[in-house]
Amino acid sequence: MTAETFRPVLPALMIEDQVKAALAEDLGRAGDITTYATIAPERVATAEMNSREEGVVAGIELARAAFRIVDPAVVFEAIAADGDRVGPGTPIARVSGPARSLLSAERVALNFLMHLSGVASYTARFAAEIAHTRARVTCTRKTLPGLRAVEKYAVRLGGGSNHRFGLDDAILIKDNHIAVCGGVAEAVRAARSYAGHLVKVEVEVDTLEQMREALTAEPDVILLDNMGPETLRQAVAINRAHSGLDEAAYWTAGRRVMLEASGNVNLSTIRAIAETGVDYISTSKITMAAPTLDIGLDITIA
């Protein structure tokens, strides 16, 4: 079994904290007063969560946690798994137990499931556009506050790749760092001297001249910002020439400078960008602009 066979996993502790915060926000100071006022405490119910459109499921365990935290007596049965592709009418999960608890947890459970499934589904559309190339679509640090880890989890479920999770797990030298530091190569060398041996160093460049300068300092990754397809093709050629590798070896070599394209990336442009030969294409669209996947919860009294 290869590494690609495994689906990503969210730590239980991370799920617990996120769902508790969302429930506290929703239940407020007095709890679900609508449900308390209209539903007798002894009533029980069964509900089914169904997809109303095509997409990729993400967030099952957060939905499960929402019901469990509200009431451990609720039984949650996952019918689909995170990463599964679903269509209109596909059942995703079934929940049963005290009706009050189902109603009070419903919105938080659906919010997580719809949003994360939306991220996974939108990522899958981007990934499908470039499936014929070697490029991978990757997310950025542009995520909804408090949801970065789970959004990046959803990106992976959709076939995308994760960029750094924060300011502490990789070095990305951007234009403002370069402006203050005094130069591209100087900034990369300074980063190299500071970073531990497991920390990657990436530098952003705006021109091919800056790229050539960056290559002299041997970063791990060069981010090619807002370059058109023709310029990106030139950048790939420059990088290959610098590596000294033939075309076959260039794509299989374990140690060469990787190229990432960013800027003006959307569903209509990503194919042309990928066909230039870059390794990664980063975009905030897959997290910040992903439409939610329409998922409903239909409840019946037992």
Side-chain angles (χ1 to χ4, degrees), residues 46-260:
T46 297
E48 191 167 88
M49 306 171 85
N50 298 294
S51 176
R52 294 171 176 165
E53 58 183 331
E54 292 184 359
V56 178
V57 175
I60 288 287
E61 292 307 312
L62 286 97
R64 184 197 304 274
F67 290 104
R68 174 181 53 78
I69 293 169
V70 167
D71 188 347
V74 172
V75 176
F76 183 99
E77 177 193 357
I79 301 171
D82 279 357
D84 286 356
R85 292 182 176 268
V86 295
T90 303
I92 294 175
R94 186 176 296 112
V95 289
S96 58
R100 282 184 169 185
S101 302
L102 267 59
L103 290 164
S104 295
E106 171 188 357
R107 178 42 52 202
V108 167
L110 283 174
N111 281 353
F112 278 118
L113 195 58
M114 292 171 67
H115 174 60
L116 296 180
S117 296
V119 171
S121 302
Y122 205 42
T123 301
R125 292 178 62 188
F126 277 79
E129 287 291 322
I130 61 175
H132 63 295
T133 73
R134 296 181 176 91
R136 296 286 303 277
V137 61
T138 182
C139 54
T140 71
R141 281 171 49 239
K142 294 178 182 178
T143 55
L144 294 179
L147 294 180
R148 180 172 298 170
V150 293
E151 287 183 346
K152 284 180 173 284
Y153 163 78
V155 164
R156 297 198 303 277
L157 288 171
S161 178
N162 287 161
H163 212 283
R164 59 179 178 165
F165 274 70
L167 295 172
D168 61 339
D169 62 331
I171 291 176
L172 174 48
I173 304 164
K174 299 179 75 68
D175 52 357
N176 285 335
H177 297 101
I178 293 167
V180 175
C181 185
V184 173
E186 185 176 350
V188 173
R189 292 188 186 102
R192 281 284 186 211
S193 67
Y194 179 89
H197 68 289
L198 294 180
V199 177
K200 296 285 188 180
V201 176
E202 179 173 14
V203 61
E204 175 186 284
V205 300
D206 300 317
T207 66
L208 294 179
E209 289 71 25
Q210 283 187 323
M211 179 191 172
R212 290 187 179 93
E213 181 185 349
L215 283 170
T216 65
E218 296 293 335
D220 296 294
V221 187
I222 294 178
L223 191 159
L224 307 165
D225 192 39
N226 281 302
M227 295 185 183
E230 182 53 40
T231 306
L232 289 173
R233 274 188 285 272
Q234 293 179 50
V236 172
I238 292 169
N239 195 44
R240 200 177 100 189
H242 174 81
S243 72
L245 301 169
D246 61 31
E247 184 171 0
Y250 177 80
W251 291 108
T252 58
R255 179 64 182 169
R256 67 170 174 84
V257 177
M258 306 297 285
L259 298 181
E260 174 187 338

Side-chain angles (χ1 to χ4, degrees), residues 1-8 136 156:
M1 183 175 285
T2 65
E4 289 74 21
T5 305
F6 296 101
R7 289 179 177 179
R136 296 286 303 277
R156 297 198 303 277

